[in-house]
Amino acid sequence: MNSPLLPTYARADVLFERGEGPWLFARGGERYLDFGAGVAVNALGHAHPHLVKALNEQGSKLWHTSNLFRIPEGERLAQRLVDNTFADVVFFTNSGAEANECAIKMARKYHASNGQPERFRIITIEGAFHGRTLATIAAGGQQKYIDGFGPKVEGFDQVPFNDEKALLAAITPETAAIMIEPIQGESGIRSFTTQMIKQFRELCDKNGMLLIFDEVQTGVGRTGKLFAHEWANVTPDIMSIAKGIGGGFPLGACLATSEAAKGMTLGTHGSTFGGNPLAMAIGNAVLDIILEPGFLEHVRQTGINLKQKLAALKDSHPDIIEDIRGEGLMIGLKVKPLNTDFISRALKNGLVVLGAGDNVVRLLPPLIIGDNEINKALSRLDQTCSEMETK
Ligand SMILES: *Cc1c(COP(=O)(O)O)cnc(C)c1O
């Protein structure tokens, strides 16, 4: 494939032309069931009528004005996020990495504004993924993303997953914050126990550190709660979101308590595109649906149903599926054959699923799927497993 695109992605040779709900239609007319949702982005599936309406209405009125002016749709979206979370203030971005950049800057500035600028270090967890900017690759700590890009941004101390001793040892007078994904997505759907999440909170409180949750993947209903940290009944000081909140439109946000955000005063941060009227109209439209009574309950029920059926699938294919993990509609299948082989075979069988670390096949369907789509996905997964057994 000769293409002028920078060759940083291993793209599957499929050209999707149209989507409808959880379905994708390729150029030749083939139908695919989309259990990847553009990496947890298409929370409401493709071409959701309410989102299309919002896009068209706002699109014919006003796209962009810059943040030099008031943006009522943004004030409304921020207020709704505040009303439904721990947060008091919101900064809008265009991506998850930018939301994390804001979170990192905010945590450092908080201590600087307290007269402790030396407190700038942030503890992160092995296997973390926080984005691909220079600071967020340092935060994620994965060598394959860091190598060759010059000196690693200073100030990130990584500790192993679920290693209490290492965590305690990493806390110094220079530590500003702990930053975690409540469920690690890219490294293979790895959940912290509720107890561990509570401990992160306690350690932060005890040591005057801020707790940052990266809910870029877990947020906006993905796990069956509006945000995954609600499962543990623990709130952060700062939270980054993106992916699902735009339903496919590039949109992210950094949410915080007013205390954590107190250093972010006039002129300390900015974004040209962030929070523009078009993005805000779509973010509001996404929330209209996610906040409808019963929607999150539907995600929880669908997630339970999916997990039960996957457990049965595992029982009938013990040589293929080793483990099932995750919450709500963020599910990982740890497989025995190479996950990339499994994924390309599933694609041939008309099912889009994604890879993740630890040889995991990731299922991130649109949150609007029902039993019918689950049954179809399961029969395609079953077929894929059977084909791999006879290989
Ligand atoms: C996807 C993701 C990011 C990065 O988001 P981008 O929009 O690609 O910058 C950050 N953190 C987590 C947990 C993610 O899943």
Side-chain angles (χ1 to χ4, degrees):
M1 259 182 297
N2 201 2
S3 150
L5 294 170
L6 198 68
T8 55
Y9 295 108
R11 298 172 192 271
D13 192 15
V14 185
L15 292 92
F16 295 121
E17 269 186 348
R18 189 169 68 79
E20 199 181 305
W23 293 95
L24 282 166
F25 300 85
R27 188 173 279 181
E30 308 88 26
R31 278 162 67 102
Y32 293 82
L33 186 53
D34 185 5
F35 267 45
V39 196
V41 166
N42 302 104
L44 303 181
H46 302 279
H48 191 290
H50 188 64
L51 298 196
V52 172
K53 184 163 166 277
L55 178 80
N56 288 335
E57 276 180 12
Q58 188 62 43
S60 58
K61 278 197 299 196
L62 187 64
W63 294 14
H64 180 87
T65 56
S66 87
N67 286 299
L68 301 173
F69 304 96
R70 285 184 64 180
I71 298 171
E73 300 85 352
E75 292 174 19
R76 178 160 171 262
L77 181 56
Q79 188 62 54
R80 295 171 84 189
L81 289 169
V82 162
D83 289 344
N84 285 283
T85 63
F86 70 96
D88 304 309
V89 286
V90 180
F91 183 89
F92 289 112
T93 68
N94 313 288
S95 68
E98 284 172 284
N100 281 329
E101 287 274 343
C102 180
I104 293 163
K105 287 175 74 175
M106 185 183 286
R108 291 179 170 191
K109 197 77 168 175
Y110 167 80
H111 293 288
S113 77
N114 282 342
Q116 296 185 296
E118 74 285 359
R119 287 191 85 162
F120 70 95
R121 309 196 67 86
I122 296 178
I123 295 173
T124 61
I125 310 293
E126 256 175 41
F129 182 79
H130 297 299
R132 298 292 202 110
T133 61
L134 287 169
T136 55
I137 55 175
Q142 297 197 42
Q143 214 53 45
K144 62 180 176 182
Y145 298 146
I146 292 171
D147 278 347
F149 294 117
K152 187 178 148 195
V153 171
E154 247 302 3
F156 296 95
D157 299 312
Q158 199 151 57
V159 298
F161 196 89
N162 274 346
D163 185 338
E164 193 183 329
K165 245 174 85 182
L167 174 64
L168 294 175
I171 299 172
T172 74
E174 290 186 348
T175 308
I178 299 176
M179 179 170 181
I180 67 151
E181 300 155 81
I183 302 174
Q184 289 190 340
E186 299 304 311
S187 66
I189 315 289
R190 301 199 300 170
S191 307
F192 290 102
T193 60
T194 295
Q195 191 196 345
M196 194 72 196
I197 293 197
K198 284 191 170 29
Q199 195 186 7
F200 287 127
R201 178 72 271 173
E202 282 160 18
L203 284 175
C204 285
D205 292 343
K206 206 172 106 195
N207 295 284
M209 307 180 302
L210 298 175
L211 183 58
I212 305 172
F213 285 160
D214 177 346
E215 292 232 25
V216 169
Q217 193 162 148
T218 52
V220 198
R222 177 55 53 189
T223 69
K225 297 274 189 189
L226 188 55
F227 294 103
H229 66 260
E230 294 168 34
W231 286 109
N233 237 330
V234 166
T235 57
D237 303 291
I238 304 174
M239 174 172 73
S240 52
I241 69 172
K243 295 203 164 99
I245 187 65
F249 198 89
L251 172 58
C254 177
L255 283 66
T257 64
S258 41
E259 172 65 12
K262 70 182 182 185
M264 303 302 277
T265 52
L266 186 64
T268 52
H269 196 46
S271 166
T272 298
F273 293 114
N276 85 8
L278 193 52
M280 296 296 93
I282 293 165
N284 272 309
V286 169
L287 275 196
D288 288 343
I289 307 286
I290 305 254
L291 294 178
E292 260 174 19
F295 186 89
L296 293 171
E297 178 59 28
H298 165 81
V299 176
R300 289 193 287 273
Q301 284 308 321
T302 314
I304 289 167
N305 182 14
L306 175 60
K307 235 177 159 178
Q308 277 168 352
K309 293 197 162 140
L310 288 170
L313 185 75
K314 171 176 175 279
D315 289 343
S316 44
H317 300 283
D319 293 336
I320 305 292
I321 300 175
E322 193 177 316
D323 186 28
I324 298 159
R325 25 171 110 150
E327 194 69 68
L329 290 175
M330 181 172 182
I331 304 283
L333 306 179
K334 185 168 164 62
V335 293
K336 291 184 178 171
L338 212 58
N339 62 346
T340 47
D341 289 346
F342 188 102
I343 291 160
S344 40
R345 208 163 266 270
L347 188 65
K348 286 204 183 83
N349 291 327
L351 179 69
V352 177
V353 289
L354 309 174
D358 201 23
N359 208 42
V360 160
V361 173
R362 210 167 12 152
L363 310 184
L364 300 167
L367 308 181
I368 46 135
I369 56 161
D371 294 348
N372 182 27
E373 283 88 20
I374 287 194
N375 293 338
K376 284 210 163 74
L378 258 294
S379 83
R380 287 167 196 206
L381 285 170
D382 187 38
Q383 186 187 343
T384 304
C385 288
S386 301
E387 288 171 9
M388 299 208 78
E389 276 159 359
T390 56
K391 210 174 59 144

